[in-house]
Amino acid sequence: MHNSQAAMTRPALPLNAFHTFVITARHLNLTRAASELCLTQSAVSRKIAALEAWLGFSVFERHARGLRLTERGAQLLPEVTRGIEQILRAAEQAGRTEGAIRLRAPTCVLRWLLPRLLQLELEQPDVHISLTTTREHCQQREAFDAAIIYGPPCDDGVMLFAERLIPVVSPELLSGQLTPDALSRLTFLHPARDRRDWQRWLSASGLQPDIARHQHFDTMDLAIGAALQGFGITVADPHLVAEDLAAGRLVAPFNQQVETGAVYTLLRRPDGRGLTPLTALTRRLTDV
């Protein structure tokens, strides 16, 4: 009777914490697990602690260099992994629309991405792209057929393009050649809070303008939008402003382009479900 009552009063099954356990066990590192889950490290720690409280035993041992599964944690992991995979497969099967591709992409790449998705759907009307956007750069793919990520090169994905930086500005702000003195009079639009993109380009170009005005944005797309409005000059990847440059809405007053080492990569589900639509998407995105 006591055991039955305990089972009835036991808290609800913490499925989200079990998922966090599987991802953390894959990396044995809280920082990398947090990156994949799009969570903070402290949030991952809290979920693991909640799971351990629910289970009544520890699943990880903490060490200076990371984590290690306990004996019980190692025994639990395979069954939990299979259970979560089964839930995901069932949810995918129930929610799948024939020909639909669930794509996750960062907002910064939308200027480049959306015309290609439109072209794909015009060419193949039976293929539908269900797009989810995010400002996070992480590899979480569980609910998606494909994801575009930004960051270091990724071995298990298809590289779409390597990031380069070039200054772009509205032609309305230009009056002849853009000298260092004229450059100094413009507002510098930064695609990131840390100003690293402009610092990279200025260091490579050898220019040292006396910058008086700065404006900071959370994404490159927002900085490009401000440049289109004549608010100042920004650095941007040529892929993201190709149509604006071709239409004359923006101009690139300098030829110097700087590679950042980051790339945009397409990750696809490894099991091949929906192979034909995914193949069509890959071809459209890699067709330069």
Side-chain angles (χ1 to χ4, degrees):
M1 174 65 77
H2 177 76
N3 290 339
S4 176
Q5 289 178 341
M8 292 176 62
T9 58
R10 194 175 195 183
L13 184 70
L15 280 176
N16 194 267
F18 274 110
H19 177 240
T20 301
F21 164 60
V22 170
I23 300 302
T24 305
R26 181 190 306 161
H27 295 288
L28 292 178
N29 180 284
L30 287 175
T31 300
R32 289 196 291 270
S35 177
E36 178 169 345
L37 291 164
C38 296
L39 296 172
T40 64
Q41 185 174 324
S42 60
V44 173
S45 294
R46 288 194 298 271
K47 288 181 182 294
I48 295 299
L51 176 63
E52 291 177 330
W54 189 88
L55 291 169
F57 58 82
S58 297
V59 294
F60 292 113
E61 295 176 352
R62 278 73 171 173
H63 296 275
R65 294 186 177 181
L67 302 174
R68 185 167 61 208
L69 283 164
T70 64
E71 183 176 348
R72 285 184 169 184
Q75 182 180 1
L76 181 68
L77 180 61
E79 291 297 332
V80 171
T81 301
R82 280 191 288 271
I84 288 177
E85 289 175 350
Q86 186 174 357
I87 291 170
L88 290 172
R89 283 195 298 270
E92 179 187 358
Q93 185 175 0
R96 177 171 292 281
T97 302
E98 188 67 26
I101 301 173
R102 295 165 300 170
L103 174 65
R104 185 178 193 266
T107 55
C108 61
V109 80
L110 290 184
R111 288 178 175 275
W112 174 88
L113 176 64
L114 291 179
R116 286 161 174 79
L117 297 185
L118 175 60
Q119 187 63 34
L120 174 61
E121 294 196 350
L122 289 174
E123 293 170 352
Q124 301 190 33
D126 57 326
V127 174
H128 172 64
I129 309 297
S130 177
L131 177 63
T132 299
T133 60
T134 177
R135 290 189 179 184
E136 301 292 337
H137 299 299
C138 61
Q139 297 191 25
Q140 186 176 4
R141 282 177 282 171
E142 282 77 3
F144 302 96
D145 299 302
I148 295 175
I149 63 168
Y150 166 86
C154 181
D155 292 338
D156 62 344
V158 178
M159 191 183 82
L160 301 176
F161 58 89
E163 184 182 50
R164 294 172 292 153
L165 298 177
I166 187 171
V168 292
V169 65
S170 168
E172 297 177 358
L173 292 184
L174 290 183
S175 56
Q177 186 177 4
L178 193 57
T179 64
D181 285 343
L183 186 61
S184 298
R185 290 193 290 272
L186 296 176
T187 299
F188 275 61
L189 310 176
H190 297 275
R193 296 283 170 178
D194 57 12
R195 305 183 181 182
R196 66 182 183 276
D197 292 326
W198 263 118
Q199 291 170 354
R200 260 196 203 105
W201 188 86
L202 290 171
S203 176
S205 69
L207 295 176
Q208 296 181 337
D210 184 13
I211 305 173
R213 295 189 301 276
H214 300 269
Q215 287 291 339
H216 301 86
F217 298 88
D218 292 328
T219 69
M220 185 173 288
D221 185 63
L222 292 175
I224 292 169
L228 283 165
Q229 296 297 319
F231 199 54
I233 185 169
T234 188
V235 282
D237 188 290
H239 292 89
L240 306 184
V241 292
E243 292 190 0
D244 297 305
L245 291 172
R249 293 186 293 267
L250 291 174
V251 295
F254 302 99
N255 293 325
Q256 178 80 42
Q257 296 189 13
V258 177
E259 292 189 1
T260 66
V263 301
Y264 289 89
T265 302
L266 177 67
L267 302 178
R268 311 193 317 176
R269 291 189 69 91
D271 55 8
R273 280 190 291 274
L275 179 61
T276 300
L278 279 176
T279 300
L281 173 67
T282 304
R283 288 174 179 169
R284 170 48 58 195
L285 298 187
T286 54
D287 181 11
V288 296

